[in-house]
Amino acid sequence: MAWDPAQYLKFADHRLRPALDLLARIDVAAPGRVIDLGCGTGNVTAILAQRWPAATVGGIDDSDTMLARAREEHPGLPFATANAATWTASPLVDVLYSNAALHWLGNHDQLLPHLFRQVAPGGWLAVQMPRNFGAPSHTAVADAARDGPWADRIVPMLASPPVDEPGVYASRLAPLADSLDIWETEYLQILDGENPVAEWTKGTWLRPFLDALEEPDRSGFEAAYRARVAAAYPPGADGRTAFPFRRLFLVARRA
Ligand SMILES: C[S@@+](CC[C@H](N)C(=O)[O-])C[C@H]1O[C@@H](n2cnc3c(N)ncnc32)[C@H](O)[C@@H]1O
């Protein structure tokens, strides 16, 4: 899909918090080789490089627009284009880190063990993925998709939630792990602005649906989505909007 770095970075502070919470649980002082998989604009890659200044730290993504922004803002870091689903490490890495990226890829049954095998013995796999797909922010996409002349084009794009229950990931990783730390956090994000939940999803989950439509259906579908989300997340007395958002974290050390 075509990413818009400016739209994605509108909520950079809220999006950064889980990246840091994930990083805090990786218990290694001086890894040699660190990869940020699905690095986007590279702002988290730069934080990984600050945490481990002696390491070789690089970012991988498959979006030209996101990587262009990463290279512009972090010219000292190496960024490469690759598909996370088929990427292999040579040599194996000491930390494979991925924040808010792997939910865009299917087939987690195969993907997670494959990625864990790219980590050297004693190294770390650290993954954070949204798991908010049952909330109105995300169910309103399907509701609005079905409710208009655009349905025949975008209903086929609806798929079951891409991120499984935490226990499923424990079973997938356990055979390769000597330690596993898996948890969920629901952040109560307090957002400013007009219909901010719609602005949030416009930077991520809504995007492929908008990209698949032309005018006037594009605007019609977006308006139908925005109306549902505005009703589901009304602003409080202070004019700000509370947006609960659940995320899944996995930190595993390779046996
Ligand atoms: C929500 S952004 C997160 C970016 C960054 N990790 C961060 O925390 O700011 C998701 C990123 O995953 C990337 N991505 C999605 N599917 C991918 C794939 N198959 N291979 C590589 N990158 C992918 C997108 O291009 C996008 O930059």
Side-chain angles (χ1 to χ4, degrees), residues 174-186:
L176 297 166
D178 82 353
S179 87
L180 274 182
D181 180 9
I182 300 180
W183 74 100
E184 288 190 306
T185 299
E186 187 170 276

Side-chain angles (χ1 to χ4, degrees), residues 52-129:
W52 295 301
T56 303
V57 179
I60 286 171
D61 205 282
D62 71 350
S63 160
D64 292 340
T65 50
M66 294 298 243
L67 286 177
R69 178 82 175 242
R71 291 186 178 113
E72 188 185 313
E73 294 199 353
H74 309 287
L77 291 173
F79 294 99
T81 304
N83 181 352
T86 50
W87 170 80
T88 54
S90 174
L92 299 180
V93 298
D94 300 301
V95 176
L96 181 51
Y97 176 98
S98 182
N99 183 61
L102 298 183
H103 58 297
W104 292 104
L105 286 78
N107 202 9
H108 283 190
D109 222 13
Q110 314 259 306
L111 178 69
L112 271 294
H114 163 72
L115 293 178
F116 206 13
R117 283 192 291 271
Q118 310 313 310
V119 175
W124 297 81
L125 174 69
V127 175
Q128 184 277 120
M129 296 178 283

Side-chain angles (χ1 to χ4, degrees), residues 23-32 34 51-52 94-95 122-124 253:
L23 181 58
R25 294 296 300 170
I26 307 173
D27 186 16
V28 59
V34 176
R51 164 143 181 213
W52 295 301
D94 300 301
V95 176
W124 297 81
R253 191 172 60 207

Side-chain angles (χ1 to χ4, degrees), residues 158-203:
L158 298 171
S160 46
V163 181
D164 299 303
E165 296 282 332
V168 175
Y169 292 95
S171 308
R172 285 171 182 152
L173 297 177
L176 297 166
D178 82 353
S179 87
L180 274 182
D181 180 9
I182 300 180
W183 74 100
E184 288 190 306
T185 299
E186 187 170 276
Y187 298 90
L188 186 65
Q189 304 176 145
I190 307 293
L191 305 183
D192 291 312
E194 173 73 21
N195 204 347
V197 176
E199 289 300 315
W200 176 286
T201 46
K202 198 174 173 181

Side-chain angles (χ1 to χ4, degrees), residues 218-242:
R218 185 183 158 102
S219 297
F221 166 68
E222 185 178 345
Y225 172 76
R226 293 185 86 90
R228 282 173 166 82
V229 167
Y233 300 94
D238 63 355
R240 308 174 92 196
T241 302

